[in-house]
Amino acid sequence: MGVEAGAQAARARALAVLRIRSRALAVALLPAAVAVILLAGAAGDRLEGPGWDTARWVLTPFAVLVLLAAAGIALVVARARPAMSPTVPVTEEAAPDLYRMVRDLADRLDVPAPSAIALTPDCDSWLEDRTHPAHGPPPAEEHHDIAGVGKQAHRRHPVAPVLVIGSPFLWWMRVGELRAVLAPVIAGTGPSAHPDIAAARRFVRGLDAAVAVASAPRREPVSRAVLAGVGWVARLLLRSCRGHAAEMERGVAAAAAERAQAVDYGLRIVAQEQVGLAYAGWDRLLTRVALPAWRMGRWPSRLDAGVVAALTELSRRDRLAEGFASRLGERPACDLLEEPGTVDEAASLLAARLFHGGPAGSGPDWSPVAWSEYPDEVVDRKWRLDAARLHRVLDTMGVRPASAPAAPATGAPTLSRVLDHLADPGTARTAGTAPAGSTAGGPAVSAPDPAPPQALGAEDPLDDEDLSGTTAPSATLAARLSAELAREEAAPPPATPSPASPSPASDAAALWDDRALPLFPLQPPRTARELLADHLTAMVCCAAMDTAGATPGLDWLDGPTLLIDGERTADLAPKVLTLIEDGDATPLRVWLSQLGIRPEKPVRLG
């Protein structure tokens, strides 16, 4: 599909959407038109008689009600605030080279330049219309700069759409690659400027916003009933124009892609490879590295810089990515920013809010952490806190100290205490499971009687599917740990005082609705078995640090890691799972002995 063909298809679909809007208006005006005819007939001594009089008395109030309802619906659609993506705005003063590159690209494509540039903490780029009055900025005297956003930028509403760029692209991609990736996106400003397409988009966005307004929870019965009617009409119109709107956007995308073919075509193929690689590295960095810190109330302040480190490490390990490292000698796209560190910090805080639901600014329980501090401030602290929680649960279960049957119920924090409890010689897997490596037709394994009901809390589900395939002590401990962690997370967080100076991302958050954070949660809640494995691993790592001189470390692709003599240990997880699933501590004890780790020595807890 060529540029003209795609543009024509988009305009045709836009007209179809506008025709639906016109039909809805016609339906709303039809009773009023009939009522006017009846009233005019009465004034001209025509259409007289009891039947016509009854029709006038019935239809006139009905027409007034329909007009009022239509006016109310139109007002809600016009005034409802369309959804706006949470971003970090960047002004031309903060990134003159980036704006210059975008304008030069728009000139080459012969399309209007975007009105502004913003960054999103994700691996995607798009155009976003922010011309709705509800998206207007706060008064100039109350506005604080956001990553270089000056007051001059808000004196008038933008006309052209805003260019939203994925922040990881700026740090990982080279300038030429970013230019090639943005070409088809910027080319979309051409079709966006067409009046019919712009009007159709405004209509669809208004309907979508009206549905959101009608779906908001309300207590007043009258407003709830009124908005229910508004929502029904808005949904009906959305269903009617959904197909046309989708085809319109396909036509716009096809026209933009065709127009961008002439710009850096060869480089675009290489750049698209970098898009996929950046996405993989970004996802790995968030889930393996950032998430553990967020859960502890710390947010890494240089996530985008971490993407470069993670992907560089990937290129070192993966032979398929060897060629990517050679690009690093070229100019990175983040050089187009005047203060990359400030922008990275704002994007990192916004990412923490979107993917984890953290506060909008720093505080005593929500503070930034640099990569150099991550091993000591996050990894070591996380392991100590998990080990402390593990021993607290063992205390409540009455587990005695290792090799001391007559000791009181509260034992010393040693690794041996945990190993002896989970490796009870009389244990086997929970009922309904078979040991690892057994066949379906092999001999059945009799499971021990479950723990007495009084030994477990009401929230300890031993029959949980996640706990099948583990020994009874492991299942009990996992359930207790899960319940303990749930209680900690349910406790109200301490009040965080407002920061003395507003942070960049806190100002950005004022422009979008953040009542349902996190908007994009990274992972489902951890299962009970995963929690037990994490806590047991943390206890092993604490013992290694306190008795064998091991140190906490950061692996850019795998997150927290244990370093022994400066080397990363990568063979601990299978031995931990063997203990949890089979009750066999021999592989783990052999591993500890080989590395000189003393499980009988007390460890320091967090």
Side-chain angles (χ1 to χ4, degrees):
M1 183 182 293
V3 176
E4 290 302 323
Q8 290 177 3
R11 288 193 292 269
R13 294 296 182 170
L15 289 174
V17 173
L18 295 179
R19 280 195 294 270
I20 293 175
R21 184 184 66 177
S22 301
R23 289 170 189 160
L25 179 61
V27 170
L29 294 177
L30 182 60
V34 176
V36 168
I37 294 174
L38 293 176
L39 292 173
D45 296 331
R46 299 179 182 180
L47 304 180
E48 295 182 343
W52 292 111
D53 291 339
T54 302
R56 274 188 289 270
W57 280 105
V58 172
L59 193 57
T60 300
F62 176 72
V64 173
L65 289 176
V66 171
L67 285 178
L68 290 176
I73 293 172
L75 183 62
V76 172
V77 172
R79 296 290 299 275
R81 174 182 173 179
M84 187 178 74
S85 303
T87 56
V88 176
V90 179
T91 58
E92 187 169 358
E93 292 80 5
D97 291 342
L98 180 59
Y99 272 81
R100 192 177 301 113
M101 184 194 76
V102 169
R103 289 198 182 106
D104 175 69
L105 199 52
D107 289 341
R108 287 194 58 185
L109 295 169
D110 194 25
V111 296
S115 60
I117 297 176
L119 300 183
T120 178
D122 202 357
C123 293
D124 199 0
S125 296
W126 65 89
L127 294 172
E128 187 166 286
D129 185 359
R130 296 183 178 178
T131 58
H132 194 277
H135 292 158
E141 63 272 14
E142 298 178 3
H143 177 70
H144 301 282
D145 288 352
I146 304 175
V149 179
K151 298 177 182 179
Q152 298 291 336
H154 292 299
R155 289 185 176 176
R156 59 181 180 181
H157 297 302
V159 176
V162 174
L163 174 62
V164 181
I165 306 174
S167 61
F169 292 165
L170 284 174
W171 269 259
W172 176 243
M173 289 187 173
R174 307 301 97 179
V175 173
E177 295 169 349
L178 181 66
R179 177 187 175 91
V181 166
L182 294 181
V185 180
I186 296 174
T189 60
S192 299
H194 192 277
D196 293 338
I197 294 177
R201 284 176 166 174
R202 283 195 301 270
F203 179 59
V204 173
R205 282 196 303 270
L207 292 176
D208 182 70
V211 170
V213 170
S215 302
R218 296 182 181 274
R219 297 180 180 178
E220 302 83 358
V222 176
S223 63
R224 185 164 58 246
V226 171
L227 289 176
V230 173
W232 181 83
V233 174
R235 291 187 184 92
L236 178 63
L237 293 174
L238 268 180
R239 285 194 296 268
S240 301
C241 62
R242 180 181 301 159
H244 297 299
E247 291 298 328
M248 177 185 70
E249 296 301 339
R250 290 192 188 98
V252 170
E258 189 68 24
R259 184 183 293 274
Q261 290 288 338
V263 178
D264 300 331
Y265 177 75
L267 190 57
R268 283 175 60 194
I269 300 176
V270 178
Q272 287 301 323
E273 296 177 354
Q274 301 307 316
V275 170
L277 190 65
Y279 183 86
W282 181 249
D283 180 72
R284 194 85 174 245
L285 185 76
L286 292 181
T287 55
R288 304 292 181 88
V289 178
L291 189 58
W294 292 339
R295 283 172 171 163
M296 295 180 55
R298 306 296 299 273
W299 53 278
S301 58
R302 295 292 185 269
L303 280 178
D304 292 304
V307 171
V308 179
L311 294 178
T312 303
E313 177 66 17
L314 177 63
S315 66
R316 186 184 67 82
R317 295 184 191 178
D318 192 346
R319 290 183 300 174
L320 297 176
E322 286 177 355
F324 298 142
S326 61
R327 310 162 37 261
L328 300 181
E330 304 173 14
R331 185 190 183 196
C334 62
D335 279 358
L336 300 174
L337 303 172
E338 290 293 300
E339 297 182 3
T342 302
V343 177
D344 195 358
E345 182 176 356
S348 299
L349 181 55
L350 183 56
R353 302 205 70 205
L354 294 179
F355 299 115
H356 185 67
S362 297
D365 299 301
W366 186 246
S367 55
V369 60
W371 291 126
S372 59
E373 303 169 349
Y374 187 94
D376 292 331
E377 297 293 326
V378 175
V379 180
D380 181 88
R381 186 180 166 208
K382 174 184 182 300
W383 288 340
R384 304 285 182 186
L385 291 175
D386 285 354
R389 184 182 299 110
L390 177 61
H391 279 279
R392 283 200 308 273
V393 171
L394 291 176
D395 289 342
T396 61
M397 295 172 61
V399 176
R400 298 181 179 275
S403 304
T410 57
T414 65
L415 177 58
S416 292
R417 182 193 190 196
V418 183
L419 298 183
D420 291 349
H421 174 69
L422 295 180
D424 187 341
T427 64
R429 285 171 170 252
T430 53
T433 63
S438 65
T439 60
V445 178
S446 60
D449 293 334
Q454 64 271 19
L456 299 175
E459 68 276 38
D460 297 336
L462 274 179
D463 57 346
D464 185 356
E465 281 186 15
D466 170 60
L467 299 178
S468 63
T470 62
T471 63
S474 295
T476 304
L477 183 55
R480 288 294 189 94
L481 279 172
S482 181
E484 175 69 15
L485 191 61
R487 281 192 291 268
E488 293 178 8
E489 293 177 347
T496 302
S498 301
S501 58
S503 65
S506 65
D507 280 340
L511 302 178
W512 49 278
D513 186 2
D514 60 351
R515 291 173 294 179
L517 291 174
L519 299 180
F520 312 105
L522 285 180
Q523 292 179 334
R526 288 172 289 180
T527 63
R529 177 165 25 189
E530 290 172 341
L531 285 174
L532 177 58
D534 288 345
H535 284 71
L536 181 54
T537 299
M539 189 63 201
V540 172
C541 292
C542 289
M545 291 188 294
D546 291 348
T547 68
T551 57
L554 168 60
D555 186 279
W556 290 109
L557 298 176
D558 296 328
T561 186
L562 182 68
L563 302 178
I564 298 181
D565 295 330
E567 296 293 330
R568 173 174 175 260
T569 58
D571 54 350
L572 175 58
K575 299 169 178 58
V576 169
L577 291 178
T578 298
L579 175 58
I580 292 174
E581 296 175 357
D582 301 332
D584 183 7
T586 302
L588 182 55
R589 291 186 183 276
V590 171
W591 185 85
L592 295 172
S593 176
Q594 292 174 344
L595 296 177
I597 301 174
R598 304 282 299 277
E600 74 280 2
K601 295 289 186 181
V603 299
R604 177 173 60 86
L605 301 180

